[in-house]
Amino acid sequence: MFRFIVRRLLQMVLAFFGTTLIVYALMFAGQGDPIQALAGERPVTEAQRAYLTEKYHLDATGVGGFFYRYVDYLSNLLRGDLGESLTGRSIGDILATAWPVTIKLALIALAVAVIFGVTAGVLAGIRRASIFDNATLLLTLLVLGIPTIVLAPLAQYFLGVRWQVFPPTAGADPDFRSLLLPGIVLGSLSLATALRLTRTSVAENLRADYVRTARSKGLPNRRVVSVHVLRNSLIPVITFLGVEVGNLMSGAIITEGVFNIPGVGFNLFRGIRTEDGPLVVGIVSVLVVVYLVSNLVVDILYAVLDPRIRYV
Amino acid sequence: MRVRRLAAWTALPLAVTLGLVACGSGGSGSGESDPNAAVRIEIAEPQHLVPTNTNETSGSQVLAALFSPLVDYDEAHKPYAVAAESITSEDNTTWTITLKDGYTFHNGEDVTADNYIDAWNYGAYAPNGQNSSYFFEKIAGYDDLQGEDPKATTLSGLKKVDDDTFTVTLSQPYSEFTAMLGYTAFYPLPEAAFSAPGELAEGYEQAPIGQGPFKMKGTWQHDAKVEVERYDAFPGEQPKVAGVEFRIYQQLTAAYADVLSDNLDVIKTIPTENLSTAATDLGDRFQQSPASSLHFLAFPTFQEEYSNPDVRKAISMAIDREEITRSIFKDSQQPARSFVSPVVAGYRENTVGSPGEFDPIKARALYEAAGGPSQITLSYNGDGGHKDWIDATCNQLKANLGVDCVGNAEPKFADLLTKVKAKQPVGLFRMGWIMDYPSMENYLGPLYSSNGSSNYYGYRNPEFDKLLAEGASAPSEDEAIEKYQAAEDLLAEEMPVVPLRFGQNNFGHSTKVKNVEMDLFDRVDLIQIEAVS
C-alpha cells in the first residue's frame, strides 16, 4: 500500500506538469489581445500597452516565445510564486481568498449529495418499483434535465427573492445559511447521479449470492443491507463522488456567479473573459492538483471498502 | 408503512428547503432620513484604485467617494470649481489654478499645489504604465515623458507658484481645459502615497488616502467590498449618510436579486434581461437619467462603395431608430440624431437633418441614384449583446433599401478593431462612445479629426480639423461652442457615421434609501443619497 501511494505521488508530478503544459499552450494559442480585452471597449494608450507587454512578455510570440514564457512561469511556480494577474494582483492572494469559500461551498454540495443522494438511493434500491422509487426516478430525471444555468436563477428567484427563505446572494464572507442554497443547487446534479448510481448498485447487490447466504443464515435485514450490501454498493458511488469533488470546485462557475460568491469559479470566469492567461493557468494548475489528490483518495478508499482490491 | 414512506419523502432536498420557510423580513421604513446609517452600492471589482490608473466606472465610483475634484458640472453640464478656488487663463494656454483653503487628506496632511503636481507627473510618466496617462498629453512637456526611457520625469508645463497656486502650461491652446479637470485622473495624491519621489508606495492602492467626503474604512477587500465612512473634516458639503459599502458583484443579475429583497441599496445598471420587468418589480424605485454614451454605426469611408456621402445618408434614412429603441431596447436608450450627446453644452437637436428622419421611399431612391452596394455587412462584437439590434437594423435595410444585409459577429471588440485598423472589408461596424468629460470637443476630436485616436473610418477633412483648432483657441467657451457646432454641421453633410442611440442610466434602488441620483459618469451621487430608517 505504501509503495502504491509513493508511486502514485510520483505519477502525479508528471501528470501535473503535463496538464499545466497543455493548459498553458491552449491559453497561449487562444489569446487574442489580452491588453485590449482587459480594457473592454475603451482605447488602450500606447504607454499602457508598452508597459503591460513588457511586464508579461506579451511580445514573446510563436513557438520560441511560448517556451520562453512557459519556462518563466514554471520557474516562478517552483519558487511557490503563481505570478500576477494582468490587473497586477498576486494570483496567490486571489486564490488564498477564493479557496476557502469554494471549499465550503463544495463541502455543502457534497454533503447534500451524500446525505440525500445515497440515502434515497439505498431506499429506492431496496424498494424497487415502489412509489418512492418511481418518484425519485422522475425527480432525478427532472434535475438532470435542467442545466444549472436555469436551475440556479430559478432557485434564487423563488427561494431568495419571492419567498425569502434564503438570502438571494451569499457575498464575500458568507455564513452557512447563505451558502446553503447555492450548495444545494450545486450539489443537486451530483445528488441525482449519486442517487441513480446507488439505487442501481444496491438493487443489483440485493440479488447477489452473498446476500442470499447472509439472509439464509438468519441475519436481520438491517444488518444485511447496512453491512453487506452497502459496503459493496458504495464502490462505484465513491468513484463518482471522488471525481465529483474536482467537478464541484471547477463547476461552480455558474453557481458562484449567480449567487455572487467570490470563489474559484468566479475568478476563473473572470480570467477567461478578460483573457487573463496567468490567472487562468494559475487556477487551473491548482484545480489539477485537486483532481489528482481526490483520485488518489478514491483509489485508497477502494482498498478500504473492498479487501479483495489490494495494491502492491 | 405509509408513515415511513412519508418520512422518506421529506428527505428530498426540495421538501426540506420548503420546510425551512421562515423569517422573511418585510423591512418597511418610516421614510425618515437616518444620517448614521450606511448605504450599499453595487460595483464590479475595480481594476485599480489610483486616480491616474482608474478609467472604468467601478473604480471611479469608489474614488469619487474618497476624492473631491477640482471642478464638477452643473445642471447645464458646465464646469464649476469645487476643490479649486479659481481656474483662470488669458490665452487658453497658461492656466492658473488656485486651491481652496481647508482641504486636508484623510491622514491629516494639508492639500497643496505639490500634491497635484506630483500626482499628475506620476500619471504622465510612461514607465508607470498608468491607464489615464493620455489625459495629460495636452500639457507641455508630455512627449518628454514618453517612451521606454523618457528624457524627463516631470512635466515642464506644471509650475508651483505657492502652496495654494500652480500654473499649467498647455502645448496648444485648449479652451475647455477646465472641463477636463473634473476627470478622475486629475485628483491630487498625498505625500504618503509615494515611497520615493515618483514612486507609488506599495499598498497605497489597497487603502487610498484622498481629500474627499469619505475616507477608507479598512482596506479594499478584493472581489468582496470596499467600505468608506464619512470624513468629518471635509470642508465641502457633507454627505447625508455615515458611510458607503461598495459591494462587488460579478453578475448584475445577482445584484438585481439583492435589490429586490432589500439586501442591496443601489444597482447602477439594471441587467438587460430584467429591463422589461423592472418597472413592475421596483415601481418608482426604477429610475432613468441621461448618460453620456452615444452608439453609432461607422462607415469604412476608405472603401469604394461607401465613399459617396449619399449612400451613407440613404442608409441612415432607411433605419427606423424609434422602432429599434422601443422594441429591442425597451426604451432604455433614446434615438439619436446628433453627433454629440445632449449632456454637453452646445448640443443641438437633430443636427443630422433630413438623413436622420426615417423615410424608406426617399432612402431607396437616393440609394439607387447614388449606386450603393447591393450587399451590406454590419460587423459587431459578439460578446456585447449587440446581435438583436444589428439583426433588426439589417432587416430594416433589407426591407427599405431592397439590399441584402448580413450581420457579422467578431468574437471580441478587440478583434473587430484589429480588422478595421488593417482596413479589412468588414462593412459597416458598430461603435460606442462614452465621454471623458462634458465637452463637445470630446465627441468630435478623438472620433473624426484626421489624427483622432478613435478615428477608425478614414475620415479626413482639413476644414473640420481647422474648425476644431479654432474652437480650442477660442477666447470664450461660447465662441468655442460655435466653432464646434460648425464642425458638427460638416459631419452632417458627410455622414462618416450614423448616430443611432443615446445611452441612459437605468438604475434601481431598495426601499431603504432615497434621493438616489446618477451622474453622467455612471456614478451614484454620494452627497445626495440618504438612508431611510
Side-chain angles (χ1 to χ4, degrees), chain B residues 70 81 83-88 96-100 162 164-166:
Chain B
L70 284 170
E85 182 71 50
S86 68
I87 300 167
T88 54
T96 306
I97 300 174
T98 314
L99 303 175
K100 241 179 222 160
D162 58 49
D164 287 333
T165 319
F166 63 108

Side-chain angles (χ1 to χ4, degrees), chain A residues 41-265:
Chain A
E41 296 193 3
R42 282 173 289 115
V44 187
T45 58
E46 286 311 310
Q48 183 69 6
R49 182 170 286 280
Y51 170 78
L52 286 175
T53 303
E54 196 197 323
K55 190 166 175 199
Y56 295 99
H57 310 301
L58 291 174
D59 48 348
T61 52
V63 180
F66 166 70
F67 280 104
Y68 172 70
R69 277 162 67 180
Y70 180 66
V71 170
D72 188 52
Y73 169 73
L74 270 191
S75 59
N76 282 329
L77 192 64
L78 290 180
R79 274 183 267 124
D81 178 9
L82 282 165
E84 276 184 7
S85 82
L86 284 188
T87 50
R89 274 177 69 198
S90 144
I91 295 173
D93 286 353
I94 295 181
L95 285 178
T97 51
W99 274 110
V101 60
T102 296
I103 288 174
K104 268 190 230 164
L105 184 64
L107 281 181
I108 293 179
L110 201 65
V112 168
V114 170
I115 295 169
F116 298 113
V118 174
T119 318
V122 170
L123 288 175
I126 295 169
R127 295 177 202 153
R128 263 194 321 274
S130 67
I131 296 175
F132 180 79
D133 188 23
N134 288 326
T136 51
L137 176 68
L138 203 72
L139 271 176
T140 47
L141 284 180
L142 201 69
V143 170
L144 285 173
I146 304 176
T148 321
I149 200 151
V150 176
L151 189 65
L154 272 182
Q156 180 185 49
Y157 181 68
F158 284 105
L159 296 170
V161 177
R162 275 287 276 283
W163 302 325
Q164 313 237 334
V165 184
F166 293 104
T169 62
D173 195 17
D175 54 9
F176 178 71
R177 187 163 159 258
S178 47
L179 274 181
L180 205 53
L181 184 59
I184 291 170
V185 168
L186 184 61
S188 62
L189 205 65
S190 348
L191 181 149
T193 317
L195 195 155
R196 301 305 325 149
L197 268 177
T198 320
R199 184 229 172 241
T200 316
S201 179
V202 166
E204 221 167 70
N205 280 323
L206 277 175
R207 280 194 296 251
D209 290 345
Y210 68 87
V211 173
R212 208 174 49 211
T213 315
R215 286 200 205 281
S216 57
K217 73 178 181 187
L219 282 182
N221 194 38
R222 211 178 60 228
R223 192 165 165 79
V224 173
V225 172
S226 66
V227 176
H228 298 265
V229 175
L230 205 54
R231 187 161 175 165
N232 282 313
S233 309
L234 279 184
I235 291 176
V237 182
I238 294 282
T239 321
F240 165 74
L241 288 176
V243 178
E244 200 64 7
V245 173
N247 282 342
L248 288 175
M249 302 252 163
S250 55
I253 292 184
I254 295 165
T255 319
E256 289 187 354
V258 169
F259 293 99
N260 197 40
I261 305 165
V264 173

Side-chain angles (χ1 to χ4, degrees), chain A residues 42 45 48 116 169 172 270 273, chain B residues 11 55 129 134 223-224 258 412:
Chain A
R42 282 173 289 115
T45 58
Q48 183 69 6
F116 298 113
T169 62
R270 177 172 54 204
R273 202 186 48 193
Chain B
N55 61 356
Y134 64 100
D223 291 328
D258 268 349
K412 291 195 170 238

Side-chain angles (χ1 to χ4, degrees), chain A residues 24-47:
Chain A
Y24 205 87
L26 285 176
M27 203 61 210
F28 185 85
Q31 215 164 36
D33 181 354
I35 300 175
Q36 184 63 53
L38 187 71
E41 296 193 3
R42 282 173 289 115
V44 187
T45 58
E46 286 311 310

